[in-house]
Amino acid sequence: MPSRTPHTPPPYRSSWFRRAATAVAVLATAIGTAGAAPGAIAAPAPAAPTAAHPAAVAAAPDIPVANVKAHLAQLQSLATANSGNRAHGRPGYKASLDYVKAKLDAAGFTTSVQQFTAGGATGYNLVADWPGGNAGQILMTGAHLDSVTSGPGINDNGSGSSAVLETALAVAREGLKPAKHLRFAWWGAEELGLIGSRNYVNALPTAERSKITGYLNFDMVGSPNPGYFVYDDNPALEAVFKDWFAAKGVATEIETEGDGRSDHASFKNAGIAVGGLFTGAGRTKTSAQAQKWGGTAGQAFDRCYHSSCDTTSNINDTALDRNSDAIAHAVWTLSAN
Ligand code: TRP
Ligand code: CA
Ligand code: ZN
């Protein structure tokens, strides 16, 4: 008997190729050619991407909101175990950073911790780079990880921290090979006046700053009486979010509650394009807003803003889910080419 090589499928060359192949297989099933009936027309093989005809942008995965909520539950436990907060200079902050860092290290990110001093205490930023992509074209995504001292900071800003973390973990799960380089960051001492992010930007040499094609900021994305606010600082970045929400049938408004009140201001001040999402803080939802978004008119978007009741009960799951999915969509779209 001649020895035979057992048939094995060829290794897929890239996640793009795998997705395209999967799409063709699904299409073949849908049109009934999967069984290769005699005379059936085979679905055409996908053409390889070239510079002139780049690959279609792969769709971002759905971010499981349960995973985002699991991170929030961990941050809540860390606050509870550390005097009820995760504030700059308090043990709950460093415990939060260690939690996020361990998840990223296990997923294959290259992490680094940047130290600074503020208010007489040591503060920390966490930066996580996804290996690969064009080192001269960096898309950054970030959220502040510190709370105020008065509470656990679950909506402000466990929500943004956890949504960005789960997006980074999705990048790893999918084995994303973006054209741009992806960098994620969790900032310290935002609540003391954007201190961590300003330290990071100030420490970057001019040549390094100019490689950052955009910075996306997520601060409060699960407010219990939510609005859907998109930063309007940069039209291209704004459009990515606006179009995504419009396609889901969710109305958006321009973010106006806090011009310069979060870490994107540190980047904008250095001339870097910024974008982001926000579901509202202490401002009151109007009746027009309640009509388009539901929720309660005449009540704050977040009645527990900067208070001890900003716990895991202070989250609207639908807002957290939509914003998490929108973050992933933006990261995938903006890094693809
Ligand atoms: N950054 C503020 C905080 O952490 C919250 C906030 C108010 C905000 N207005 C904003 C965040 C507008 C983003 C955009 O307390
Ligand atoms: Ca989701
Ligand atoms: Zn905040």
Side-chain angles (χ1 to χ4, degrees):
M1 281 270 281
S3 73
R4 288 193 327 132
T5 310
H7 175 77
T8 51
Y12 290 124
R13 280 168 291 184
S14 68
S15 67
W16 171 84
F17 191 88
R18 187 172 67 242
R19 283 175 178 283
T22 305
V24 168
V26 169
L27 182 65
T29 306
I31 63 176
T33 61
I41 299 160
T50 64
H53 299 279
V57 177
D62 181 277
I63 300 298
V65 72
N67 293 10
V68 182
K69 292 191 76 178
H71 302 314
L72 287 176
Q74 289 299 316
L75 295 176
Q76 173 73 64
S77 320
L78 294 172
T80 302
N82 289 286
S83 314
N85 70 74
R86 304 183 301 101
H88 166 73
R90 309 294 182 93
Y93 179 74
K94 186 55 164 47
S96 300
L97 185 140
D98 291 343
Y99 169 76
V100 175
K101 183 176 184 297
K103 292 281 179 194
L104 294 161
D105 286 336
F109 283 84
T110 304
T111 61
S112 67
V113 176
Q114 182 191 31
Q115 280 196 26
F116 56 88
T117 305
T122 302
Y124 309 90
N125 293 323
L126 172 63
V127 177
D129 284 275
W130 181 238
N134 181 347
Q137 302 248 296
I138 303 173
L139 177 67
M140 278 196 77
T141 304
H144 77 85
L145 185 57
D146 63 314
S147 72
V148 290
T149 52
S150 50
I154 296 305
N155 185 37
D156 182 16
N157 184 31
S159 63
S161 296
S162 298
V164 171
L165 172 59
E166 192 55 29
T167 298
L169 297 178
V171 164
R173 277 197 296 271
E174 300 277 314
L176 189 65
K177 290 187 164 54
K180 290 198 180 82
H181 180 75
L182 289 176
R183 180 174 297 160
F184 297 88
W186 288 262
W187 309 118
E190 187 271 355
E191 299 288 5
L192 278 64
L194 321 181
I195 292 183
S197 56
R198 188 169 1 107
N199 259 270
Y200 175 81
V201 173
N202 286 347
L204 281 181
T206 313
E208 293 306 309
R209 278 187 209 178
S210 63
K211 294 175 184 169
I212 302 173
T213 62
Y215 170 71
L216 306 177
N217 191 62
F218 303 98
D219 184 0
M220 305 182 73
V221 293
S223 301
N225 186 27
Y228 293 90
F229 298 103
V230 179
Y231 300 3
D232 71 340
D233 304 85
N234 175 277
L237 301 180
E238 179 186 13
V240 170
F241 292 114
K242 276 178 68 170
D243 294 352
W244 186 88
F245 279 101
K248 304 278 167 191
V250 179
T252 56
E253 289 185 11
I254 292 169
E255 187 283 300
T256 60
E257 186 170 354
D259 227 17
R261 273 179 65 187
S262 191
D263 297 297
H264 56 296
S266 300
F267 287 80
K268 189 176 181 176
N269 291 339
I272 296 167
V274 301
L277 298 172
F278 177 57
T279 53
R283 195 181 269 183
T284 302
K285 183 180 272 191
T286 66
S287 46
Q289 289 172 327
Q291 259 159 43
K292 65 173 119 175
W293 291 324
T296 310
Q299 214 174 72
F301 294 105
D302 182 355
R303 287 194 290 176
C304 290
Y305 176 56
H306 285 185
S307 65
S308 59
C309 60
D310 187 8
T311 64
T312 47
S313 311
N314 191 43
I315 289 288
N316 179 286
D317 288 2
T318 301
L320 186 69
D321 192 8
R322 286 173 174 164
N323 280 291
S324 300
D325 292 342
I327 294 168
H329 169 73
V331 167
W332 257 249
T333 306
L334 292 167
S335 66
N337 292 297

